[in-house]
């Protein structure tokens, strides 16, 4: 049930390539129960390496690259499942901080990094799905509120991360040039 699409097509006799990311719904395919999908329409003139982007709410968005010059018509991409990253935001008095923006950025040895965001609920709690095998920085801010960032931790496959909590305080306005 994972959708995927080829990113760029490049005809050798043309000066520019065709960016299919603007036409995802027309050019994507969905994997079957064995995780296989077929692009039986790729033009024979496609000679440059072809990037395939999977799209899934439950898996890491990790590109695959297929070289039609050396490939055998098959490309295998192993997609890690996203991992829950949870915590809460409270005010200094311990009351829940609702509507706080939470942003997580992960970096690792992969070509693509992770960037995700969510908002705390009425109880000040949040959950977002993060890519594993990366080191993270998570920040929280709200209308004229801020908190110390949470950093220096890794997200590992199949190991939810709990208690990434924030205590909100009035934000400090900085001036300068």
């Amino acid at each position: 049930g994972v959708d995927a699409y080829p990113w760029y097509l490049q005809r050798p006799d043309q000066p520019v390539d065709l960016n299919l990311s603007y036409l995802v719904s027309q050019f994507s395919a969905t994997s079957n129960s064995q995780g296989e999908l077929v692009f039986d329409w790729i033009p024979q003139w496609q000679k440059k390496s072809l990037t395939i982007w999977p799209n899934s709410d439950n898996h890491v968005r990790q590109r695959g690259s297929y070289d039609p010059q050396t490939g055998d018509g098959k490309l295998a991409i192993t997609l890690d499942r996203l991992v829950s990253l949870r915590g809460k935001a409270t005010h200094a008095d311990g009351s829940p901080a609702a509507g706080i923006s939470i942003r997580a950025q992960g970096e690792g040895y992969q070509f693509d990094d992770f960037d995700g965001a969510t908002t705390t609920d009425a109880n000040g709690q949040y959950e977002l799905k993060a890519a594993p095998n990366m080191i993270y920085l998570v920040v929280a801010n709200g209308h004229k509120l801020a908190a110390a960032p949470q950093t220096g931790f890794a997200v590992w496959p199949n190991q939810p991360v709990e208690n990434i909590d924030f205590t909100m305080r009035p934000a400090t306005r900085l001036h300068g040039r």
Side-chain angles (χ1 to χ4, degrees), residues 7-139:
W7 191 6
Y8 288 104
L9 294 179
Q10 174 67 55
R11 190 172 167 132
D13 62 345
Q14 297 297 312
V16 295
D17 48 24
L18 175 61
N19 183 345
L20 298 179
S21 65
Y22 298 112
L23 306 163
V24 171
S25 61
Q26 287 85 7
F27 291 101
S28 64
T30 303
S31 63
N32 63 21
S33 60
Q34 287 77 41
E36 299 170 343
L37 56 83
V38 176
F39 297 111
D40 57 2
W41 54 265
I42 301 292
Q44 292 293 324
W45 47 254
Q46 178 66 35
K47 302 299 181 195
K48 289 189 175 181
S49 186
L50 188 61
T51 299
I52 306 295
W53 278 110
N55 283 322
S56 170
D57 291 337
N58 299 314
H59 298 87
V60 174
R61 189 169 196 272
Q62 181 176 327
R63 68 180 82 193
S65 183
Y66 177 75
D67 186 346
Q69 299 290 337
T70 60
D72 62 356
K74 296 180 181 179
L75 170 66
I77 304 172
T78 302
L79 301 178
D80 287 322
R81 290 195 179 276
L82 296 173
V83 178
S84 289
L85 179 64
R86 299 182 193 100
K88 64 182 175 181
T90 57
H91 295 287
D93 64 4
S95 64
I100 300 297
S101 173
I102 306 293
R103 181 167 213 93
Q105 292 185 303
E107 290 196 18
Y109 291 108
Q110 300 88 335
F111 188 78
D112 299 300
D113 298 329
F114 175 83
D115 186 11
T118 191
T119 304
T120 59
D121 64 16
N123 297 319
Q125 297 183 357
Y126 72 90
E127 177 179 6
L128 59 86
K129 300 289 187 174
N133 301 311
M134 293 188 186
I135 301 292
Y136 275 82
L137 166 69
V138 184
V139 296

